[in-house]
Amino acid sequence: MMTQGFTLWFTGLSGSGKTTLSREMEGVLLERGMKVELLDGDVVRTNLSKGLGFSKGDRDTNILRIGFVCNLLTRNDVVAIAAAISPYEEIRQKNRQLIGRYVEVYCKCPLDILEERDVKGLYKKARLGEIKNFTGVSDPYEEPSNPEVIVETDKETVEQCVAKITRTLELLGYIPVIGNGAEYSAEEEEEIKRRLKALGYI
Amino acid sequence: MLGFLRKPKKRICVIGLDGVPYSLLRVLAADGTMPAMAELCAQGHLQPMKVTLPEISAVSWTSFMTGAGPGTHGIFGFIDLKPGSKETRFPSFRDVQVPTLWDRLGQKSKKSVVINQPSTYPARPIQGVLVSGFVALDLRKAVFPARLLPDLKRLNYETDIDTQRAREDHDYLIQSLHSTLEGQRSLVDLLWDREEWDYFQVVTTGTDRVQHYLWNAIADTTHPYHTVVRQYYRAVDRFIAEIVERYRQKAGREQGLTGLFLLSDHGFTAIKREFNLNAWLRQEGYQRLEQATEPTLQNLSPDSRAFALDPSRIYFNRKDRFRDGCVETAEVGNLTEEMSSQLLALRNEGEPVVREVFRCADIYSGPCVPHGPDLIVLTYSGYDTKGNLVKNDLFTETDLQGMHTWDDAFFWAGESVDGDLMITDLATRFERFLS
């Protein structure tokens, strides 16, 4: 089946689950027969954006470059997945406008929990002043105003987050529905029956 | 220096009162139960409205929101058949075949806030906010965008009451009607100024619920629930009054109430008897259930020529539609005539039961007509048509007190509408207003 491309853009603070979820979603989309390319912010900084720093200007350039590549992929019917902190709303909106078929996933997690997790030890270094311009600590992060999906990674499991994103993509008509195409599970059908019977509708 | 005077933005606000009949609303406005409604009647025009058949919320609200009939939008009931099969399924919002009013407004960059709209589950993206109503099962799937979910949880927002419990426990019914109305009020309060919108809509479904279970209590002053039911309508009236006041302020003096509209999706009346269509089909020899099997549509005898689905749909067991069908296409005309005349001649205790029998092709148009029933049965007031396969008596008693009607829904607007008003007319009217 021929499918159209789109961009799945993960935004959120460092350690909020963008890389994990983007890799999971890569698998889900490949299983559904889509052509997928993953652009991870950390990886992109070693090639496409090599040499750029963390000033506001450099950060914007980095995100716009990723957006540019995502747009090229999207218009060639590839699903582009971007996972980057992308802290500024204005720049995310620019990419949204450029790409069109754009789905934003906000990986939401409170800062205190991220600092507690601190898998890479970056928050500690930032607090000690060893890393400058660190988003959430010494640099701003602007929450998305209208993301298609919010995943609360301190409250939801990886599976729940993946299911939520997948569902949204199905509802948007961006990915094919798998299984028997039934809207409701057997359990849900029973609940609907119960409600309709109580009103005399069936 | 004089600046440029900016023309105020045109806005529409729609209040839906599920199942409230025109005739009842006039009474409640006149007798002081609904003073805000009385004021609106004095300032604008309350008029009866017809709805598409069958006159149930799943069909009516879909007709309202698409501005099209079932032959076009594809929803013929709360329950439908799987393609080519007699297995049943529950259609969802995904089965609606045409864009909704909010989809079309969104294409023109108009934003909508839609709260508790029945038959929009699971919620799908619109330009704005959509909170699905009945039969929404899981709040997480009933909300777009997802960012609203924490707000709804914080407000203890509930999409509906527990209908089964409400049928058995009327104290619970009354209490939960107020709590769901309060949830809707809180959500209106939250979204009215926070969200940007051109079109705002809220539907309250509690009115339908109370009328199903306690219709008789509305008029009967000796009914033990009379006072509390009237209090509920007063609460609904206050809800309307608050929204009207909000709208006045938001729309500005120039627009007045010209963009305010109220409607119901069908009327209501008292039930005398349930009329069991499948029992009638069996009695007249059109249907036979296989012995010793569970009574399901799949277990109908292969020589059954017809069956019914709730509430009033008759399907011929056509060879060109079902694998095990037995009715030839050439027979359909005669079968329609024969069955219609028999139904129209049917009497219960000397009174006629069926007012009209419609051929699907005569009342519907559009690409979905072949997926609809062959006939739709319209009964006289008080006979509630049912598709129950198990019951063998033609007419049965029920503990439900109210049933839907098709020609007594209401519409209120600042200006009157000439001629017969149909629920499918409204979407285009609203779009035109905002264009």
Side-chain angles (χ1 to χ4, degrees):
Chain A
M1 190 181 72
M2 185 67 183
T3 49
Q4 272 188 282
F6 63 92
T7 290
L8 185 61
W9 191 285
F10 288 85
T11 174
L13 293 171
S14 176
S16 61
K18 298 182 297 300
T19 300
T20 305
L21 290 176
S22 61
R23 285 179 185 161
E24 290 288 332
M25 284 311 299
E26 184 183 22
V28 169
L29 296 168
L30 286 169
E31 275 175 18
R32 298 210 183 189
M34 323 285 291
K35 287 183 283 182
V36 189
E37 200 61 62
L38 175 60
L39 290 97
D40 189 283
D42 293 342
V43 180
V44 168
R45 276 192 172 274
T46 64
N47 41 65
L48 182 68
S49 293
K50 197 173 180 179
L52 289 179
F54 291 88
S55 66
K56 167 88 172 60
D58 279 1
R59 280 178 185 275
D60 289 351
T61 304
N62 178 41
I63 298 308
L64 290 171
R65 282 183 190 175
I66 299 175
F68 176 79
V69 177
C70 284
N71 184 45
L72 294 181
L73 292 166
T74 295
R75 75 185 193 196
N76 282 288
D77 293 329
V78 176
V79 179
I81 303 177
I85 296 172
S86 37
Y88 297 109
E89 176 71 359
E90 186 196 347
I91 304 303
R92 290 193 301 261
Q93 288 298 335
K94 275 189 182 173
N95 280 341
R96 182 187 281 276
Q97 278 164 17
L98 172 75
I99 297 164
R101 290 172 62 84
Y102 174 96
V103 180
E104 194 168 81
V105 181
Y106 173 30
C107 296
K108 190 175 181 182
C109 187
L111 186 61
D112 55 342
I113 292 180
L114 292 173
E115 291 201 56
E116 207 175 290
R117 281 185 201 160
D118 204 8
V119 184
K120 301 174 198 166
L122 298 174
Y123 283 95
K124 194 179 173 190
K125 284 184 185 171
R127 287 289 177 202
L128 292 169
E130 292 169 19
I131 304 176
K132 307 285 179 202
N133 305 113
F134 192 79
T135 307
V137 176
S138 47
D139 232 31
Y141 177 81
E142 296 170 1
E143 288 202 345
S145 58
N146 204 9
E148 278 72 9
V149 191
I150 300 174
V151 286
E152 296 187 72
T153 56
D154 59 323
K155 296 179 187 139
E156 299 172 85
T157 64
V158 171
E159 290 73 23
Q160 284 170 331
C161 296
V162 167
K164 196 192 268 189
I165 299 164
T166 307
R167 182 81 183 157
T168 302
L169 295 176
E170 284 180 351
L171 288 174
L172 287 166
Y174 283 176
I175 61 172
V177 178
I178 55 166
N180 60 9
E183 187 67 79
Y184 304 116
S185 66
E187 208 176 44
E188 286 175 321
E189 287 209 346
E190 280 309 308
E191 177 56 22
I192 293 173
K193 256 187 221 171
R194 194 182 75 88
R195 292 187 191 187
L196 292 175
K197 268 187 184 165
L199 287 162
Y201 292 163
I202 57 170
Chain B
M1 191 182 91
L2 280 174
F4 290 105
L5 283 176
R6 187 183 286 178
K7 215 175 167 187
K9 183 177 178 173
K10 270 192 163 185
R11 294 175 195 273
I12 281 185
C13 175
V14 176
I15 305 171
L17 304 180
D18 199 305
V20 173
Y22 164 75
S23 48
L24 174 66
L25 201 56
R26 280 186 61 175
V27 171
L28 296 176
D31 72 8
T33 305
M34 300 184 75
M37 203 60 230
E39 203 176 310
L40 284 176
C41 290
Q43 292 169 356
H45 298 269
L46 178 69
Q47 57 198 107
M49 180 172 69
K50 289 177 178 157
V51 302
T52 46
L53 295 172
E55 62 277 37
I56 51 172
S57 293
V59 180
S60 295
W61 281 121
T62 309
S63 299
F64 161 73
M65 65 188 166
T66 59
T72 304
H73 62 59
I75 303 296
F76 294 91
F78 280 111
I79 193 164
D80 213 328
L81 300 168
K82 291 182 181 172
S85 154
K86 293 193 191 91
E87 272 186 75
T88 54
R89 60 187 285 271
F90 297 102
S92 78
F93 193 24
R94 255 192 200 156
D95 293 292
V96 177
Q97 300 296 308
V98 284
T100 63
L101 168 62
W102 322 297
D103 294 327
R104 296 199 294 260
L105 290 175
Q107 285 164 4
K108 294 171 193 159
S109 303
K110 305 278 184 199
K111 293 198 170 178
S112 303
V113 173
V114 181
I115 300 171
N116 196 37
Q117 173 62 63
S119 298
T120 57
Y121 183 79
R124 66 173 183 234
I126 65 167
Q127 282 279 334
V129 169
L130 173 61
V131 181
S132 310
F134 189 70
V135 295
L137 298 168
D138 178 349
L139 200 54
R140 288 171 301 179
K141 294 199 280 185
V143 180
F144 177 86
R147 67 176 160 83
L148 281 180
L149 195 55
D151 293 322
L152 293 173
K153 285 181 179 166
R154 190 169 44 77
L155 295 174
N156 290 321
Y157 182 88
E158 288 173 340
T159 52
D160 202 357
I161 62 172
D162 180 339
T163 49
Q164 191 174 359
R165 188 175 163 200
R167 185 170 177 167
E168 293 155 4
D169 179 352
H170 293 165
D171 289 338
Y172 163 78
L173 164 68
I174 297 295
Q175 172 260 313
S176 56
L177 287 174
H178 285 283
S179 63
T180 46
L181 186 64
E182 193 48 43
Q184 286 155 10
R185 172 183 284 120
S186 305
L187 193 54
V188 170
D189 191 41
L190 181 78
L191 302 181
W192 187 272
D193 287 319
R194 197 181 80 175
E195 299 296 322
E196 195 188 319
W197 57 268
D198 301 277
Y199 179 95
F200 195 103
Q201 185 193 314
V202 59
V203 177
T204 188
T205 37
T207 40
D208 176 90
R209 309 301 183 247
V210 77
Q211 291 167 183
H212 272 296
Y213 302 134
L214 287 170
W215 174 260
N216 300 339
I218 302 171
D220 180 358
T221 53
T222 64
H223 194 289
Y225 284 90
H226 174 75
T227 306
V228 288
V229 166
R230 287 289 178 134
Q231 280 167 353
Y232 174 64
Y233 283 97
R234 280 193 192 95
V236 171
D237 190 64
R238 283 194 298 276
F239 182 56
I240 294 169
E242 286 166 15
I243 296 174
V244 171
E245 188 46 38
R246 281 178 185 280
Y247 183 76
R248 271 186 213 282
Q249 288 175 16
K250 191 111 177 167
R253 194 183 296 170
E254 194 183 322
Q255 194 174 319
L257 294 182
T258 55
L260 178 74
F261 304 96
L262 283 83
L263 79 143
S264 61
D265 61 325
H266 52 78
F268 245 83
T269 192
I271 297 183
K272 282 190 236 173
R273 292 280 186 282
E274 288 182 337
F275 168 41
N276 298 305
L277 261 183
N278 279 312
W280 180 83
L281 289 169
R282 286 199 292 277
Q283 181 182 287
E284 296 301 324
Y286 293 114
Q287 182 187 103
R288 204 158 54 84
L289 279 168
E290 291 287 12
Q291 294 297 313
T293 57
E294 194 191 344
T296 64
L297 292 178
Q298 294 100 295
N299 288 339
L300 290 177
S301 161
D303 58 359
S304 293
R305 290 198 287 163
F307 61 89
L309 277 188
D310 280 299
S312 53
R313 293 172 286 169
I314 293 179
Y315 293 77
F316 297 148
N317 191 16
R318 297 160 70 136
K319 277 188 170 173
D320 59 10
R321 180 162 189 176
F322 303 105
R323 275 190 301 276
D324 57 352
C326 65
V327 174
E328 299 285 354
T329 313
E331 286 180 82
V332 168
N334 284 344
L335 193 55
T336 300
E337 279 190 27
E338 183 186 301
M339 211 179 267
S340 301
S341 58
Q342 284 175 307
L343 279 165
L344 291 168
L346 180 68
R347 295 285 184 276
N348 176 51
E349 296 172 352
E351 64 180 8
V353 176
V354 175
R355 186 167 143 180
E356 271 187 82
V357 180
F358 296 105
R359 288 190 327 146
C360 186
D362 289 340
I363 56 167
Y364 300 143
S365 62
C368 302
V369 172
H371 308 299
D374 290 284
L375 303 177
I376 295 269
V377 178
L378 182 66
T379 51
Y380 282 102
S381 176
Y383 287 99
D384 198 11
T385 316
K386 296 290 170 203
N388 189 309
L389 259 181
V390 182
K391 290 182 180 172
N392 282 317
D393 292 331
L394 294 196
F395 302 103
T396 45
E397 304 267 349
T398 171
D399 61 323
L400 294 170
Q401 295 181 359
M403 60 171 274
H404 297 184
T405 57
W406 73 290
D407 53 357
D408 194 27
F410 82 88
F411 180 65
W412 180 93
E415 294 168 353
S416 71
V417 179
D418 293 334
D420 268 2
L421 183 62
M422 189 70 182
I423 198 165
T424 46
D425 299 336
L426 303 183
T428 315
R429 179 174 289 269
F430 295 165
E431 271 183 272
R432 217 181 294 138
F433 182 90
L434 285 177
S435 65

